[in-house]
Amino acid sequence: MEARRQPANAVVFSDEPLKMKNMKKDSQSVPYVINAVFFGLFFSMAYFLLLRWREKIRTSTPLHFVTISEIAALFSLIASFIYLIVFFGISFILHPFAASGAVTYYDEDEFDVTTKNTGNCLVDCSSVTPKLLPLPSKIADQKPLPESLTLSPEDKEVVRAVVSGSIPSYSLESKLGDCRRAAAIRHEVVESVTGKSLEGLPVEGFDYDSILGQCCEMPIGFVQIPVGVAGPLLLDGKEYTVPMATTEGCLVASTNRGCKAIYVSGGASAVVLRDGMTRAPVVRFNSAKRASQLKFYLEDPLNFDSLARTFNKSSRFGRLQNIKCALAGKNLYMRFTCSTGDAMGMNMVSKGVQNVLDFLQNDFPDMDIIGISGNFCSDKKASAVNWIEGRGKSVVCEAVIKEEVVKKVLKTSVEALVELNMLKNLTGSAMAGALGGFNAHASNIVSAIFLATGQDPAQNVESSHCITMMEPVNNGKDLHISVTMPSIEVGTVGGGTQLASQSACLNLLGVKGASKEAPGANSRQLAAIVAGSVLAGELSLMSAIAAGQLVKSHMKYNRSSKDVTKIAS
């Protein structure tokens, strides 16, 4: 009879014949008999010796005079005590480690893993043939898994092993060699442990190999975010269809209306003013005077070339632009700025900074490096240094909207928009003590484009720094609108940009991957598109507020309705 074939990456459990199982049961009963014998021996010898001790005290016999029977009893007592301590003591010690997952029941020698150069992937899933050793008996005592499971029997056993702590959840990818399978098993583990249903969080339909070691650890599925498009956005003579991933109703529709107003008015134009990512380590000296000496050294133009050569060794594209320092007592903050090609560049600039720190240690051996980042960068935080100095791409985008477009498309007037912008975006934000928040909703558009194109969502904080300006032009008939955004942090390579969906959105914009003609051109163009889209969003929302349409439009587009004809009307 032909042997049954197993899946390539299946965890194999051997099926023993019935006779072997019976023999195994018989062999397992032997320890219980031995334990019973030693228990009986221990307590009987202890009882015998206690009786003899009592008799010697009653007859005034010295305790150190012992008979052969008493010597044998004493020896038996000690031997049985040692046996019981060894048998039950070790089991007791190992028990909590097994429960916490510190003891693994995988035999590392049973894995045949062939590593290949697969980018950021830690294992080559096609070359792993794992074998699972017999699982501990305590797994059988776990509560039954939910009936909704559709996993194979082998995978259910692995789920029970993870729940019991025998297999660490974080090691499933390396143990199984199958990233999708690991996510499915972990999905069921979370349900079993928490008792909460994850129905609606899909597992199938995602390439988990693409995120291993790069984007997300211990995945249990993926979140679906709808992607809409706004446009065409006419920017610098080119048309762009802008993808926006969002769950906020009316956002895409509003941005689309702004794009229309810009398009029929002749388009918008954008200029990238600066392009440089920053990292600012903090170091400490024994005195402020010594810290100031390093500050003067770093800011001396004569030393810049040697520092730049050291910094630039870290990457083909990373090029040091400048170093600015700030002193706080004997602590020195050094803000390095460098170009990073088409990558967002955080890792690139960090490697360059580390090179410089190692270099400086030779001349400043008393320098104590506290951290590679001292928050003077400043990353993922609203800060004045980014608002003033810029970080990433600094962009200004402008357009002139004709009077008839303001009236017919935007349903308002130039005078109303100018007044609202002054009192809301400028005065109102100043009253609130805003830092970089002199706009209506720049963060809305930035977040939506960031999610769609695989940017770091947390960098929406500083990337949304924006001041929106409006003023009448052409004798007060037309509207000049501009947005100035000093710290848009985007890239077209690395991170989430390599995921299939995000890569498709970058391709839609024509900025996918690295620019071969001019390194950095694609990321700068993406920053300009972000600014142009923010311009459209600001124009449309401000018009809706000026015309009193904000609540009405959200009631129309931000409420669930099954009747499509009502929405279309």
Side-chain angles (χ1 to χ4, degrees):
M1 182 179 296
E2 185 179 356
R4 184 173 59 183
R5 298 182 62 187
Q6 296 285 346
N9 289 327
V11 177
V12 181
F13 296 87
S14 61
D15 296 328
E16 296 182 353
L18 181 60
K19 182 177 179 181
M20 293 297 295
K21 288 185 177 180
N22 292 334
M23 293 177 61
K24 186 175 182 179
K25 290 181 179 179
D26 294 339
S27 64
Q28 290 177 344
S29 64
V30 173
Y32 293 102
V33 176
I34 298 175
N35 293 343
V37 170
F38 275 95
F39 260 115
L41 182 63
F42 175 79
F43 288 108
S44 62
M45 292 300 101
Y47 181 72
F48 172 77
L49 290 172
L50 286 174
L51 289 178
R52 295 297 301 156
W53 182 40
R54 180 182 178 185
E55 179 66 21
K56 289 184 177 183
I57 293 175
R58 188 178 65 84
T59 60
S60 299
T61 304
L63 296 179
H64 61 274
F65 290 118
V66 293
T67 63
I68 296 178
S69 61
E70 291 173 346
I71 294 175
L74 185 61
F75 177 82
S76 300
L77 179 68
I78 296 174
S80 59
F81 178 76
I82 293 175
Y83 171 82
L84 294 175
I85 284 295
V86 170
F87 185 84
F88 291 101
I90 292 179
S91 299
F92 177 78
I93 292 170
L94 289 181
H95 177 78
F97 284 94
S100 64
V103 177
T104 178
Y105 287 87
Y106 274 100
D107 186 353
E108 299 294 342
D109 295 334
E110 290 294 317
F111 280 84
D112 179 19
V113 182
T114 304
T115 58
K116 295 181 180 180
N117 186 9
T118 55
N120 288 310
C121 189
L122 299 181
V123 294
D124 182 12
C125 297
S126 63
S127 63
V128 182
T129 56
K131 299 178 182 178
L132 188 64
L133 296 181
L135 298 174
S137 58
K138 65 177 291 185
I139 296 177
D141 298 331
Q142 296 295 328
K143 62 182 179 179
L145 297 172
E147 295 180 357
S148 60
L149 285 178
T150 57
L151 299 178
S152 66
E154 292 84 0
D155 286 348
K156 290 183 180 180
E157 289 297 324
V158 179
V159 169
R160 293 187 178 92
V162 176
V163 170
S164 72
S166 300
I167 302 174
S169 176
Y170 62 82
S171 68
L172 283 175
E173 281 79 6
S174 61
K175 297 294 186 183
L176 300 175
D178 188 331
C179 298
R180 187 213 61 80
R181 187 175 166 212
I185 290 173
R186 191 179 291 111
H187 182 280
E188 302 302 338
V189 168
V190 172
E191 278 196 334
S192 180
V193 171
T194 63
K196 308 291 185 180
S197 173
L198 291 177
E199 183 179 0
L201 181 64
V203 176
E204 300 297 334
F206 188 81
D207 181 11
Y208 294 95
D209 290 338
S210 65
I211 66 173
L212 182 63
Q214 179 162 336
C215 293
C216 179
E217 297 77 41
M218 295 195 292
I220 61 171
F222 61 97
V223 174
Q224 298 168 313
I225 302 179
V227 178
V229 290
L233 171 67
L234 184 58
L235 181 66
D236 296 324
K238 296 182 180 180
E239 296 182 8
Y240 298 94
T241 300
V242 183
M244 302 175 66
T246 182
T247 56
E248 179 183 351
C250 207
L251 177 60
V252 177
S254 177
T255 307
N256 188 65
R257 183 175 77 147
C259 289
K260 178 181 179 181
I262 293 172
Y263 191 96
V264 296
S265 296
S269 59
V271 178
V272 178
L273 305 174
R274 286 183 296 241
D275 181 9
M277 182 50 64
T278 64
R279 176 60 84 197
V282 54
V283 299
R284 180 172 58 196
F285 289 88
N286 292 327
S287 66
K289 181 178 180 180
R290 182 61 171 160
S292 64
Q293 291 175 352
L294 177 56
K295 179 182 184 296
F296 296 144
Y297 175 87
L298 292 172
E299 293 178 345
D300 189 342
L302 298 178
N303 298 324
F304 181 80
D305 288 342
S306 60
L307 293 172
R309 282 195 300 270
T310 303
F311 183 98
N312 297 343
K313 292 178 181 178
S314 62
S315 171
R316 291 185 299 145
F317 303 103
R319 293 294 178 266
L320 183 63
Q321 296 174 348
N322 60 72
I323 306 173
K324 292 188 177 181
C325 299
L327 202 63
K330 58 182 182 178
N331 305 300
L332 181 65
Y333 297 81
M334 304 171 283
R335 193 171 191 262
F336 292 78
T337 304
C338 81
S339 60
T340 57
D342 284 302
M344 184 270 291
M346 284 297 302
N347 292 334
M348 190 182 302
V349 67
S350 296
K351 289 190 294 183
V353 168
Q354 188 62 57
N355 288 346
V356 174
L357 291 177
D358 295 340
F359 173 78
L360 292 174
Q361 202 85 61
N362 296 324
D363 293 330
F364 296 87
D366 53 336
M367 178 180 69
D368 184 13
I369 301 174
I370 304 301
I372 189 69
S373 174
N375 273 8
F376 188 48
C377 314
S378 172
D379 186 43
K380 301 178 176 69
K381 290 165 283 291
S383 62
V385 69
N386 288 342
W387 178 240
I388 298 171
E389 297 290 342
R391 188 172 195 256
K393 279 72 175 171
S394 299
V395 186
V396 60
C397 185
E398 63 179 346
V400 175
I401 310 301
K402 297 178 180 179
E403 181 183 21
E404 57 269 24
V405 175
V406 173
K407 292 180 178 180
K408 293 181 180 180
V409 178
L410 302 177
K411 312 298 183 184
T412 185
S413 65
V414 173
E415 294 81 3
L417 283 173
V418 171
E419 183 180 30
L420 177 64
N421 186 72
M422 179 185 66
L423 294 179
K424 171 182 167 61
N425 288 342
L426 304 182
T427 308
S429 295
M431 292 292 292
L435 180 58
F438 299 93
N439 57 81
H441 71 149
S443 178
N444 249 339
I445 291 85
V446 172
S447 296
I449 298 178
F450 270 32
L451 290 173
T453 59
Q455 310 304 314
D456 187 341
Q459 290 184 325
N460 161 72
V461 177
E462 62 269 40
S463 295
S464 296
H465 281 348
C466 172
I467 183 169
T468 300
M469 303 291 292
M470 294 184 186
E471 61 180 271
V473 293
N474 300 329
N475 296 322
K477 293 183 178 181
D478 301 331
L479 175 72
H480 180 276
I481 178 173
S482 67
V483 292
T484 305
M485 306 178 69
S487 51
I488 302 178
E489 299 167 358
V490 293
T492 57
V493 297
T497 65
Q498 50 87 32
L499 299 178
S501 300
Q502 289 81 345
S503 180
C505 290
L506 289 171
N507 189 57
L508 176 63
L509 293 172
V511 294
K512 176 182 176 181
S515 172
K516 297 181 180 179
E517 292 77 16
N522 282 353
S523 61
R524 286 190 291 271
Q525 187 60 44
L526 178 58
I529 293 171
V530 170
S533 302
V534 169
L535 183 75
E538 291 287 280
L539 181 62
S540 183
L541 177 59
M542 292 292 287
S543 298
I545 296 175
Q549 298 174 339
L550 181 64
V551 175
K552 181 181 177 181
S553 62
H554 275 80
M555 291 301 101
K556 180 178 180 180
Y557 289 102
N558 208 19
R559 289 294 182 272
S560 177
S561 175
K562 300 299 181 182
D563 190 347
V564 180
T565 59
K566 291 183 179 180
I567 300 178
S569 63

